[in-house]
Amino acid sequence: MKLFVKLAVFFAAVTATLALSAAELRYVDAQTLTHLGKLFKTTNPYHRVELSQYPDLTPKESELLSYPSGEAILFETNSTELWVRAKTGGMYPMNGMPNYATLGYTLYIENEKGEWQWAASHSRGVGDDKSGKKKVEMPLALVKNMDGKTKKCLLYLPLYMELTHLDIGVVEGSELKGVENPFRHKIAVFGSSFTQGHGATNSGQTYLGFLQRSTGLDFISFGMGGNSKLQPVMARILAATDADAFVFDAFSNPSIKQIEERIHPFIKTIQASHPGKPLIFLRTIYRENRAFDTAREKREQERMEYVDALMAKIVKQYDDVYFIDVKNQTGTDHETSADGTHPMSWGYYRWAKAIQKPLVKILKKHDIK
């Protein structure tokens, strides 16, 4: 009985402490801060495209574009704690992927050297709690016990979960404000699940995230897991942006026949709206699941060889079209795969480093630096 009383007192004290902590927080709509990773104004601010304007998008394409993959919230605060609180729509938890990437938030803080330093990655689980509330909509602490000095914060949003509203929580009485976007230019990147970040450890460790933080350039994701197939509708969407440059992870999903039929109309549609702007195509990466599967090996190699030959002709045929044909982007030690198809974060880091130099060189040629 005495043990029961002691436990009851202990849990009452913990509950009171948690309640006090919650009462000392104030939440601010993230839309009053600085929202990165967008090329369109949308009714739902976390969708990447105004979906109703493109009725020929398939249900899957619409779903993928409703996720804020690559988007981030930028702000300054002197709060000693940072929290998030969300309202959510659909979600797509991935087998084998951590919730930190699919449903979670990753925080980087600018350190004294002016570099973006990882600070936190946290998420809730799927499903409902005992009271019937969505777990992903419960307040989530990102970091506590900071020193109270003003910090510039970069908060990456979930890769595979739709947001309908997001609040940033800080300690009552502390400052919280948006700041000017430090990333230069607008570079639209259309691609596969690689570009969306499948396999990444957290939402900030995609190859675009690594490129953004290391170059200072603003890479904006149109990653569409399994649905980067040079679709005419995506060409129209990209043509409608005000991007300064375009990068395409365009050869990871489509078949040889789809590439052959779609590549020229895709290029022409975008160039008609963006004459003189660089269109930069990337070689797809080596998929580790082909190593001992002879059928996969044959299929993957045939597609790579076809694309190499095709792009050698296309870069001569069209002005301002480029092909970055770096091989072995994720290394040759075969130690970077998450699932045989997608890299884990270490592989995405290597990929970013492998293409950074030729990519930056092309962009500089167009005064994008």
Side-chain angles (χ1 to χ4, degrees), residues 285-302:
I285 63 170
Y286 179 92
R287 302 186 189 201
E288 296 295 338
N289 60 14
R290 63 188 278 190
F292 301 101
D293 184 324
T294 56
R296 286 183 187 274
E297 168 64 26
K298 182 176 184 295
R299 184 169 63 250
E300 288 287 313
Q301 191 60 32
E302 285 178 349

Side-chain angles (χ1 to χ4, degrees), residues 24 60 107 113 136 191 255 294 296 322 338 340 351:
E24 291 177 345
K60 189 60 184 179
L107 177 68
K113 297 179 182 179
V136 293
S255 65
T294 56
R296 286 183 187 274
Y322 305 87
W351 188 357

Side-chain angles (χ1 to χ4, degrees), residues 29-105:
D29 185 347
Q31 288 304 298
T32 65
L33 306 173
T34 304
H35 190 170
L36 307 184
K38 296 273 291 182
L39 276 170
F40 294 105
K41 185 176 181 180
T42 52
T43 303
N44 178 327
Y46 301 103
H47 286 181
R48 289 178 282 165
V49 171
E50 187 62 54
L51 301 174
S52 62
Q53 293 181 1
Y54 298 94
D56 49 339
L57 284 167
T58 68
K60 189 60 184 179
E61 290 167 348
S62 293
E63 178 187 352
L64 290 164
L65 288 169
S66 75
Y67 300 147
S69 174
E71 295 179 29
I73 304 298
L74 180 70
F75 55 90
E76 278 188 352
T77 184
N78 61 354
S79 178
T80 57
E81 298 184 15
L82 284 174
W83 294 63
V84 291
R85 183 178 65 184
K87 293 293 183 183
T88 64
M91 63 184 69
Y92 191 10
M94 295 286 192
N95 290 333
M97 273 190 76
N99 287 345
Y100 297 150
T102 56
L103 315 176
Y105 306 83

Side-chain angles (χ1 to χ4, degrees), residues 182-253:
F183 300 106
R184 305 178 301 279
H185 304 285
K186 295 178 181 179
I187 303 167
V189 186
F190 171 56
S192 67
S193 54
F194 298 143
T195 298
Q196 187 136 6
H198 192 131
T201 306
N202 61 59
S203 57
Q205 293 184 339
T206 65
Y207 78 87
L208 295 186
F210 287 124
L211 283 171
Q212 181 186 50
R213 295 189 300 274
S214 63
T215 65
L217 297 171
D218 203 358
F219 291 92
I220 300 173
S221 176
F222 283 91
M224 298 179 64
N227 288 265
S228 171
K229 298 181 180 180
L230 298 165
Q231 304 97 305
V233 64
M234 287 307 303
R236 298 201 315 274
I237 288 171
L238 293 165
T241 70
D242 62 349
D244 301 311
F246 299 86
V247 176
F248 307 106
D249 154 34
F251 307 123
S252 301
N253 291 151

Side-chain angles (χ1 to χ4, degrees), residues 106-331:
T106 295
L107 177 68
Y108 280 79
I109 294 177
E110 189 177 61
N111 63 24
E112 293 178 354
K113 297 179 182 179
E115 300 168 340
W116 291 107
Q117 181 174 333
W118 179 92
S121 292
H122 288 294
S123 70
R124 294 287 184 188
V126 296
D128 299 339
D129 69 1
K130 292 181 179 179
S131 68
K133 294 180 180 179
K134 287 184 180 180
K135 291 181 181 179
V136 293
E137 294 188 351
M138 297 172 67
L140 176 66
L142 296 175
V143 63
K144 295 182 179 181
N145 304 311
M146 292 195 291
D147 60 15
K149 296 179 182 178
T150 298
K151 294 173 175 59
K152 187 179 292 184
C153 301
L154 179 64
L155 180 67
Y156 288 97
L157 305 183
L159 300 180
Y160 285 94
M161 180 172 73
E162 182 184 23
L163 296 176
T164 59
H165 185 85
L166 180 67
D167 291 323
I168 308 296
V170 295
V171 173
E172 188 65 58
S174 59
E175 297 178 354
L176 176 63
K177 65 178 182 179
V179 294
E180 184 178 352
N181 183 0
F183 300 106
R184 305 178 301 279
H185 304 285
K186 295 178 181 179
I187 303 167
V189 186
F190 171 56
S192 67
S193 54
F194 298 143
T195 298
Q196 187 136 6
H198 192 131
T201 306
N202 61 59
S203 57
Q205 293 184 339
T206 65
Y207 78 87
L208 295 186
F210 287 124
L211 283 171
Q212 181 186 50
R213 295 189 300 274
S214 63
T215 65
L217 297 171
D218 203 358
F219 291 92
I220 300 173
S221 176
F222 283 91
M224 298 179 64
N227 288 265
S228 171
K229 298 181 180 180
L230 298 165
Q231 304 97 305
V233 64
M234 287 307 303
R236 298 201 315 274
I237 288 171
L238 293 165
T241 70
D242 62 349
D244 301 311
F246 299 86
V247 176
F248 307 106
D249 154 34
F251 307 123
S252 301
N253 291 151
S255 65
I256 288 176
K257 182 179 180 182
Q258 287 173 325
I259 295 170
E260 180 182 20
E261 292 175 348
R262 296 178 178 181
I263 185 72
H264 292 283
F266 187 85
I267 290 172
K268 289 175 181 177
T269 297
I270 297 172
Q271 282 198 331
S273 297
H274 296 279
K277 293 183 180 179
L279 277 61
I280 306 167
F281 289 83
L282 304 177
R283 168 186 262 260
T284 193
I285 63 170
Y286 179 92
R287 302 186 189 201
E288 296 295 338
N289 60 14
R290 63 188 278 190
F292 301 101
D293 184 324
T294 56
R296 286 183 187 274
E297 168 64 26
K298 182 176 184 295
R299 184 169 63 250
E300 288 287 313
Q301 191 60 32
E302 285 178 349
R303 181 168 56 176
M304 281 187 163
E305 290 176 359
Y306 172 79
V307 167
D308 286 348
L310 174 68
M311 291 307 297
K313 297 176 182 177
I314 282 180
V315 296
K316 294 178 181 179
Q317 182 177 351
Y318 296 93
D319 292 335
D320 308 309
V321 173
Y322 305 87
F323 182 48
I324 296 180
D325 60 350
V326 174
K327 298 177 177 62
N328 304 317
Q329 301 102 312
T330 59

